[in-house]
Amino acid sequence: MPDDYSYINTRVRVMRTKLLDGRALDLALAAGSYQEFLRVLSETDFAANMRETTSEGAGLPELDRALSQNLFDTTQKVLGFAEGDSRREIETLLMKWDLVNLKSIARGIVSGRGAEAIRESLIPGGTIRPAALQTAAQATDLASAAASLAVTGHPLAKAMREGAAAYTNTGKLLDLEVALDQAYYKHALKVSRDNSMKQYLAREIDITNALIARSSRGSALDPNLFVAGGSLDAAAYGRLATGDAGGNPDLTVILEAPSIEEAEVAARSALDKAARNSAVADVEGVGIILDFLRRKEMEIAKLRLIGRGKYYELPADQIRKEVGA
C-alpha cells in the first residue's frame, strides 16, 4: 500500500457517497415514532449496527451503541487504508476526539454527572482504547482519571496529569482544558507533513484561542492559556480580550457571540467551512479525509439528536431546530 493520499482519498471518496444525504435525514426527521425512525435507519448503511436497537426493551442506550460502533468502524476503516506518515497524520486527526473525550470526562467528574452519563457523552472515534476511556470515566476525581490514562502512554496523558494538578491549585477547569489543547496541537503540528493539514490546524488553533478569550470575557487574558501554532502571536492573542480579532470575521463572530454556547456553534461552523475548503483545495492531500471525518461526526450527532427527539416524542419543529435542518 503506498504511503500517499492518492489511494486513501480514492477509497474515502467512495465512503463519502454513503453518508446520509438530505433526503435520508428528511425521512428520519419525518418519522412518526421512535420505532419508525429505527426502521428508516435500518434501511441505510447503518443496518449492520442496528440489530440490537430492535430487541425487546431496547431504548436510547442501544441506539447510542449502534451509532458509536458505526463511527468507530468508519474511523478504523479509514485508518486501515494508510501506513507510514499518512497513517500517523490520520491518527492525529482522530486524536482530536481523544481531546474532546478527555475534556468531557473532566467536566463530568467536576460536575458530579456520574460514570454512566460521562460514558454516554464520549465519542468512540479517537485513538484511546475504549477500556481506558471507560476506566477514566469511572474515576471519582481528576487525579485518578489522569492516572488511568498514564498507563496507556497516550500523547495527551502527561497534559491530563499536569492539567489535573493545575485544577487542584486554581479550581479552574479552563486550566486543565487548555493544557490538553496545548499538548494536542503541539503534537499534531509536530506530526503533520501535509500543508493543508498544517493550515487547517492553524485555523483550529486560532478558533481555540478565540473561544478561550470569549470564555474569559470581562477579564484580562492569562498569557499561560495561549495556544501556540496558529496565525496569532501572543500579542494578538492578548488583544482578543478587547474584541480585536485582527479583521478575521470568523473570530469576530466568536468573540461577539451572546453566549459561550453560541460561540461554540460559530466555531463549529467556521471549522466545517475550513474543512470543506481544504477538501476542494487539496485533492491529493489530507483535506478529503479531514472533511469526511467532520461530515461523519456531524451525521452521527444529528442522528443522536433525532433519535432522542423521537424517543421523547418532541415536536417535529423542535427536533428540526436542534438538528439545524
Side-chain angles (χ1 to χ4, degrees):
M1 188 185 302
D3 180 25
D4 60 45
Y5 284 106
S6 297
Y7 168 81
I8 305 169
N9 285 342
T10 298
R11 300 296 298 270
V12 170
R13 285 189 182 95
V14 174
M15 294 178 69
R16 191 166 64 180
T17 65
K18 297 182 179 180
L19 291 172
L20 298 187
D21 57 16
R23 179 178 176 275
L25 285 174
D26 282 342
L27 288 173
L29 283 162
S33 66
Y34 179 67
Q35 291 304 319
E36 186 179 346
F37 165 75
L38 295 180
R39 181 189 60 75
V40 170
L41 272 193
S42 68
E43 295 174 356
T44 68
D45 283 342
F46 283 85
N49 304 110
M50 297 295 293
R51 296 187 183 93
E52 187 184 9
T53 64
T54 57
S55 61
E56 185 177 353
L60 290 177
E62 288 73 22
L63 174 64
D64 284 342
R65 281 196 292 271
L67 296 177
S68 294
Q69 188 61 49
N70 182 271
L71 178 59
F72 179 78
D73 292 344
T74 299
T75 57
Q76 292 306 299
K77 187 174 182 179
V78 172
L79 194 58
F81 297 149
E83 61 182 24
D85 289 335
S86 58
R87 183 181 177 90
R88 283 188 285 275
E89 286 182 326
I90 294 172
E91 282 180 328
T92 299
L93 292 178
L94 301 183
M95 199 181 294
K96 181 61 185 296
W97 285 321
D98 294 335
L99 175 66
V100 172
N101 284 335
L102 293 178
K103 288 182 180 181
S104 294
I105 289 171
R107 292 169 184 169
I109 290 173
V110 169
S111 64
R113 292 184 62 200
E116 185 62 31
I118 295 174
R119 285 196 297 268
E120 290 177 359
S121 70
L122 300 179
I123 304 170
T127 66
I128 300 175
R129 288 182 289 105
L133 278 178
Q134 297 288 330
T135 300
Q138 293 171 352
T140 56
D141 56 70
L142 292 177
S144 299
S148 69
L149 184 66
V151 299
T152 68
H154 192 274
L156 297 183
K158 180 181 178 183
M160 184 70 171
R161 184 179 68 251
E162 293 176 348
Y167 173 79
T168 299
N169 291 331
T170 67
K172 297 179 180 178
L173 193 55
L174 184 62
D175 290 344
L176 184 151
E177 294 187 354
V178 174
L180 290 170
D181 286 329
Q182 291 168 334
Y184 169 70
Y185 289 113
K186 181 179 180 180
H187 173 80
L189 289 170
K190 182 179 179 180
V191 169
S192 300
R193 64 189 178 104
D194 183 89
N195 285 333
S196 64
M197 182 169 172
K198 291 178 181 178
Q199 291 170 2
Y200 177 82
L201 287 171
R203 189 71 175 148
E204 210 170 60
I205 291 169
D206 286 344
I207 288 172
T208 297
N209 281 320
L211 286 171
I212 294 170
R214 174 60 186 79
S215 68
S216 304
R217 178 183 285 182
S219 59
L221 283 176
D222 183 346
N224 292 320
L225 298 183
F226 173 58
V227 181
S231 68
L232 303 176
D233 59 17
Y237 167 72
R239 290 193 293 272
L240 291 176
T242 66
D244 180 4
N248 187 311
D250 290 332
L251 302 190
T252 298
V253 172
I254 292 170
L255 294 177
E256 295 179 353
S259 67
I260 190 61
E261 291 78 14
E262 290 170 276
E264 289 174 349
V265 170
R268 286 195 296 272
S269 177
L271 290 174
D272 288 340
K273 180 176 67 176
R276 290 193 299 270
N277 291 342
S278 180
V280 172
D282 185 21
V283 296
E284 296 299 329
V286 76
I288 297 289
I289 300 161
L290 198 160
D291 180 54
F292 170 75
L293 292 174
R294 285 196 68 85
R295 289 173 185 265
K296 184 63 184 181
E297 180 184 9
M298 188 185 309
E299 175 187 73
I300 296 294
K302 287 182 175 180
L303 290 175
R304 286 184 190 275
L305 287 171
I306 296 172
R308 275 160 172 71
K310 298 301 179 183
Y311 186 82
Y312 291 113
E313 301 180 345
L314 299 179
D317 288 346
Q318 182 178 340
I319 300 174
R320 285 185 176 275
K321 182 178 180 181
E322 291 185 9
V323 172

PDB file of all heavy atoms in Angstrom, residues 28 66 77 82 105 128 153 165 183 231 242 263:
ATOM      1  N   ALA A  28     -35.735  10.527   8.202  1.00  0.00           N
ATOM      2  CA  ALA A  28     -35.562  10.270   9.635  1.00  0.00           C
ATOM      3  C   ALA A  28     -36.312  11.309  10.459  1.00  0.00           C
ATOM      4  O   ALA A  28     -36.968  10.987  11.454  1.00  0.00           O
ATOM      5  CB  ALA A  28     -34.078  10.279   9.985  1.00  0.00           C
ATOM      6  N   ALA A  66     -25.148   1.600  18.815  1.00  0.00           N
ATOM      7  CA  ALA A  66     -25.146   1.338  17.374  1.00  0.00           C
ATOM      8  C   ALA A  66     -24.453   2.471  16.619  1.00  0.00           C
ATOM      9  O   ALA A  66     -23.615   2.232  15.733  1.00  0.00           O
ATOM     10  CB  ALA A  66     -26.579   1.163  16.878  1.00  0.00           C
ATOM     11  N   LYS A  77     -11.732   1.961   9.542  1.00  0.00           N
ATOM     12  CA  LYS A  77     -11.628   1.633   8.120  1.00  0.00           C
ATOM     13  C   LYS A  77     -10.744   2.640   7.406  1.00  0.00           C
ATOM     14  O   LYS A  77      -9.869   2.265   6.610  1.00  0.00           O
ATOM     15  CB  LYS A  77     -13.025   1.605   7.488  1.00  0.00           C
ATOM     16  CG  LYS A  77     -13.037   1.111   6.048  1.00  0.00           C
ATOM     17  CD  LYS A  77     -14.469   0.972   5.540  1.00  0.00           C
ATOM     18  CE  LYS A  77     -14.494   0.438   4.115  1.00  0.00           C
ATOM     19  NZ  LYS A  77     -15.895   0.270   3.617  1.00  0.00           N
ATOM     20  N   ALA A  82      -4.213   3.402   5.392  1.00  0.00           N
ATOM     21  CA  ALA A  82      -2.951   4.147   5.418  1.00  0.00           C
ATOM     22  C   ALA A  82      -1.848   3.388   6.138  1.00  0.00           C
ATOM     23  O   ALA A  82      -2.087   2.445   6.901  1.00  0.00           O
ATOM     24  CB  ALA A  82      -3.168   5.494   6.102  1.00  0.00           C
ATOM     25  N   ILE A 105     -14.740  13.967  30.089  1.00  0.00           N
ATOM     26  CA  ILE A 105     -14.522  13.224  31.335  1.00  0.00           C
ATOM     27  C   ILE A 105     -14.226  14.196  32.475  1.00  0.00           C
ATOM     28  O   ILE A 105     -14.791  14.076  33.576  1.00  0.00           O
ATOM     29  CB  ILE A 105     -13.372  12.210  31.160  1.00  0.00           C
ATOM     30  CG1 ILE A 105     -13.833  11.055  30.249  1.00  0.00           C
ATOM     31  CG2 ILE A 105     -12.913  11.666  32.518  1.00  0.00           C
ATOM     32  CD1 ILE A 105     -12.713  10.115  29.849  1.00  0.00           C
ATOM     33  N   ILE A 128      -7.681   6.473  21.878  1.00  0.00           N
ATOM     34  CA  ILE A 128      -7.590   5.875  23.217  1.00  0.00           C
ATOM     35  C   ILE A 128      -8.468   4.633  23.257  1.00  0.00           C
ATOM     36  O   ILE A 128      -9.623   4.663  22.834  1.00  0.00           O
ATOM     37  CB  ILE A 128      -8.042   6.867  24.307  1.00  0.00           C
ATOM     38  CG1 ILE A 128      -7.172   8.119  24.289  1.00  0.00           C
ATOM     39  CG2 ILE A 128      -7.978   6.218  25.688  1.00  0.00           C
ATOM     40  CD1 ILE A 128      -7.632   9.208  25.249  1.00  0.00           C
ATOM     41  N   GLY A 153       0.279   5.410  27.767  1.00  0.00           N
ATOM     42  CA  GLY A 153       1.342   6.032  27.001  1.00  0.00           C
ATOM     43  C   GLY A 153       0.836   6.999  25.947  1.00  0.00           C
ATOM     44  O   GLY A 153       1.558   7.376  25.025  1.00  0.00           O
ATOM     45  N   ALA A 165      -3.487  18.607  38.067  1.00  0.00           N
ATOM     46  CA  ALA A 165      -2.779  19.272  39.168  1.00  0.00           C
ATOM     47  C   ALA A 165      -3.057  20.773  39.167  1.00  0.00           C
ATOM     48  O   ALA A 165      -3.245  21.384  40.225  1.00  0.00           O
ATOM     49  CB  ALA A 165      -1.277  19.007  39.054  1.00  0.00           C
ATOM     50  N   ALA A 183      -1.118  20.628  24.450  1.00  0.00           N
ATOM     51  CA  ALA A 183      -0.403  19.375  24.187  1.00  0.00           C
ATOM     52  C   ALA A 183      -0.838  18.754  22.861  1.00  0.00           C
ATOM     53  O   ALA A 183      -0.008  18.253  22.093  1.00  0.00           O
ATOM     54  CB  ALA A 183      -0.647  18.390  25.329  1.00  0.00           C
ATOM     55  N   SER A 231      -2.122  31.524  13.525  1.00  0.00           N
ATOM     56  CA  SER A 231      -1.653  32.756  12.890  1.00  0.00           C
ATOM     57  C   SER A 231      -1.496  33.893  13.893  1.00  0.00           C
ATOM     58  O   SER A 231      -0.859  34.905  13.602  1.00  0.00           O
ATOM     59  CB  SER A 231      -2.632  33.184  11.790  1.00  0.00           C
ATOM     60  OG  SER A 231      -3.880  33.587  12.346  1.00  0.00           O
ATOM     61  N   THR A 242     -10.098  42.361  24.118  1.00  0.00           N
ATOM     62  CA  THR A 242     -10.766  43.641  23.865  1.00  0.00           C
ATOM     63  C   THR A 242     -11.731  43.553  22.684  1.00  0.00           C
ATOM     64  O   THR A 242     -12.326  44.558  22.283  1.00  0.00           O
ATOM     65  CB  THR A 242      -9.721  44.730  23.566  1.00  0.00           C
ATOM     66  OG1 THR A 242      -9.061  44.429  22.320  1.00  0.00           O
ATOM     67  CG2 THR A 242      -8.694  44.807  24.671  1.00  0.00           C
ATOM     68  N   ALA A 263     -21.083  30.857  20.768  1.00  0.00           N
ATOM     69  CA  ALA A 263     -19.698  30.972  20.296  1.00  0.00           C
ATOM     70  C   ALA A 263     -19.194  29.622  19.793  1.00  0.00           C
ATOM     71  O   ALA A 263     -18.499  29.540  18.768  1.00  0.00           O
ATOM     72  CB  ALA A 263     -18.803  31.489  21.420  1.00  0.00           C
TER      73      ALA A 263
END
